[in-house]
Amino acid sequence: MRLEKQYASAWLCAMFAVTGSHAAETKWVASWASSPLEGKIVIPGIPPDKIPPSPILHGTVRYRLPLSQGGTRLILRITNEANKEPLTLGAVSVAIADAGVTARAASIRKVTFGGRSSVTLPGGTPALSDPVDLSTKSAQAVIVSIFLPNDTQCPLGQRGIQEVTLDGRDATQMTVLEGAVPTIARTLVSAILVTSGPDAKTIVALGDSITDGAVTDTPDVRGWPGHLALRLMRSRAQVHFAVANEGIGGNRLLSDVIGLSALARFDRDVSSLPNVTHLIMLEGINDIGFSRLPDNSNPAPPIEANALIGGYRQIIGRAHLRGIKVIGATLGPFQGAMYYSEAGEQTRQSVNEWIRSGGEFDAVVDFDRALRDPGEPKKLAAAYDSGDHLHPSDAGYKAMSDAIELSVFSGSK
């Protein structure tokens, strides 16, 4: 009971800081995002003993997170939504990034939650920090450091630059984590909100590993949403857009396998973000592929096009109720991928034809046409293939971004 009261007090204080006296003069957008993921990963078709164990972190974990939109203040959203056990944050800081995960000394700011430096998140919950006065620029990376006083299981799957201390100390105020080692674990930060101009808006990219940026040599430009953010920054449009990347590797539209399905996480990952005007939807290839595994170890009957179309219609309807325009993205080529089948290819073609001609999305971006080999359209073009015949290379991610007409974002609320 004491824990619940303490948490409730911190939560209410943080929410008042966001919605109270500054509300009339402040507009918040989601400048960076990462969808929460449970600590234990299960991948269809891969034996559990072949999946690397999720790391247990203890000490200070540090993330380098590139912003899509700058501002004068920011709020961190820390997540424990995908786990059942409480999560204790001993201390948190944010700073402007120098090289790698080095924090710029003069910019280090302590982050509080309802005025407290430490907070415990019950299982299944997020926590918003108090607003932090820190001026940032678009495309600038920030360093977020979190002291974990207890052993904490963190899921695999996050790309980017991260380090964790080995001796369990609080190093959140240090510019460099001495003796730290690189680690790969999904971030405990699920969003960074920043203040921006009165015309600022948020675009959400909802998808799987192709959206998350699975294969890349440029961690500061995360997948095609990162390239889109750079295009928007360089454009002469009067509107300032932030881009929130809500991709999860292995994610599906219809069923929970790796992370909640897109249908199940829509409210958490889209509706809860501030000033969202557009949603770009790229989900379905894992529904098709994992339901038609070549070794016939499918966990459920094969997914047909009509089932995916029904899921898209649900997303469109729920988004429209909130005034969000939905841009449908065609599914890219995947011949040669580990779960490719001719039956799955026929489903992909049927789904893409509906996306292009069904008239139910507010706009369409044809990633299939942008990525495919003109001579063998079932395949990714060689220049855009990362090597696994499913995930685009960095050049492919840029081609996806270039296929998006920026005019689709005009005339929004």
Side-chain angles (χ1 to χ4, degrees):
M1 179 65 71
R2 182 180 179 184
L3 173 63
E4 293 176 353
K5 287 182 177 179
Q6 177 182 352
Y7 178 78
S9 175
W11 175 263
L12 289 172
C13 289
M15 287 301 296
F16 180 78
V18 177
T19 61
S21 60
H22 294 286
E25 60 200 54
T26 300
K27 191 164 187 180
W28 297 90
V29 291
S31 186
W32 181 92
S34 176
S35 184
L37 192 61
E38 65 273 12
K40 187 176 181 181
I41 301 297
V42 177
I43 303 176
I46 299 180
D49 61 345
K50 300 296 184 182
I51 302 173
S54 298
I56 304 295
L57 303 183
H58 181 191
T60 301
V61 59
R62 175 166 285 188
Y63 310 112
R64 178 187 176 94
L65 307 177
L67 302 180
S68 62
Q69 183 68 227
T72 57
R73 309 173 83 203
L74 60 80
I75 290 171
L76 301 183
R77 176 170 166 153
I78 310 296
T79 180
N80 196 34
E81 291 148 288
N83 298 299
K84 296 180 180 179
E85 299 300 318
L87 168 66
T88 296
L89 312 177
V92 180
S93 71
V94 64
I96 303 298
D98 277 333
V101 288
T102 299
R104 191 173 300 172
S107 71
I108 298 175
R109 304 285 190 272
K110 180 185 292 186
V111 177
T112 58
F113 300 83
R116 296 183 176 88
S117 298
S118 178
V119 66
T120 297
L121 287 65
T125 66
L128 292 179
S129 76
D130 301 326
V132 179
D133 291 325
L134 182 65
S135 293
T136 55
K137 300 176 182 178
S138 299
Q140 188 172 53
V142 297
I143 298 296
V144 176
S145 303
I146 300 176
F147 171 51
L148 301 171
N150 306 318
D151 287 351
T152 302
Q153 186 178 52
C154 295
L156 292 167
Q158 188 75 44
R159 274 68 185 173
I161 304 174
Q162 309 173 34
E163 286 188 350
V164 62
T165 59
L166 293 175
D167 56 8
R169 71 186 187 278
D170 176 4
T172 55
Q173 295 296 308
M174 305 297 293
T175 57
V176 178
L177 296 186
E178 298 292 345
V181 296
T183 186
I184 297 177
R186 202 159 184 89
T187 63
L188 296 172
V189 184
S190 61
I192 301 177
L193 314 180
V194 301
T195 57
S196 192
D199 59 352
K201 307 176 195 308
T202 300
I203 299 167
V204 178
L206 188 66
D208 49 40
S209 55
I210 295 173
T211 295
D212 197 18
V215 182
T216 182
D217 294 323
T218 56
D220 270 6
V221 184
R222 184 173 150 216
W224 63 263
H227 284 280
L228 174 61
L230 291 176
R231 283 189 68 203
L232 289 164
M233 290 174 208
R234 295 165 183 155
S235 74
R236 297 181 179 275
Q238 296 301 309
V239 177
H240 296 87
F241 284 102
V243 180
N245 186 334
E246 298 285 15
I248 298 178
N251 196 236
R252 297 190 194 182
L253 172 65
L254 301 176
S255 59
D256 300 349
V257 177
I258 300 180
L260 295 175
S261 70
L263 286 171
R265 64 189 180 96
F266 175 86
D267 290 343
R268 181 193 70 191
D269 293 348
V270 181
S271 298
S272 69
L273 298 180
N275 291 303
V276 176
T277 58
H278 293 82
L279 168 65
I280 305 176
M281 182 76 191
L282 178 61
E283 285 268 20
I285 198 66
N286 288 323
D287 297 73
I288 295 170
F290 283 131
S291 73
R292 296 180 182 273
L293 293 170
D295 61 1
N296 295 317
S297 61
N298 309 308
I303 295 295
E304 303 297 341
N306 284 340
L308 290 170
I309 291 169
Y312 296 140
R313 283 173 168 151
Q314 284 293 316
I315 295 289
I316 292 168
R318 290 162 68 181
H320 283 174
L321 285 175
R322 296 184 173 274
I324 300 171
K325 295 182 178 179
V326 187
I327 301 165
T330 55
L331 305 179
F334 75 124
Q335 188 177 56
M338 65 94 176
Y339 57 27
Y340 177 83
S341 68
E342 282 299 318
E345 171 64 13
Q346 292 176 18
T347 301
R348 183 183 76 93
Q349 293 289 353
S350 297
V351 167
N352 283 351
E353 179 58 28
W354 179 83
I355 291 172
R356 292 185 183 107
S357 61
E360 298 192 37
F361 286 105
D362 296 287
V364 172
V365 54
D366 203 334
F367 287 155
D368 174 38
R369 185 168 290 127
L371 293 171
R372 68 193 182 197
D373 185 329
E376 297 182 87
K378 296 179 183 179
K379 294 183 177 181
L380 287 168
Y384 298 152
D385 191 344
S386 67
D388 64 7
H389 312 302
L390 174 66
H391 297 96
S393 61
D394 286 320
Y397 288 135
K398 183 178 183 302
M400 294 172 73
S401 167
D402 290 344
I404 302 172
E405 294 288 344
L406 299 187
S407 60
V408 302
F409 305 119
S410 62
S412 56
K413 65 182 181 180

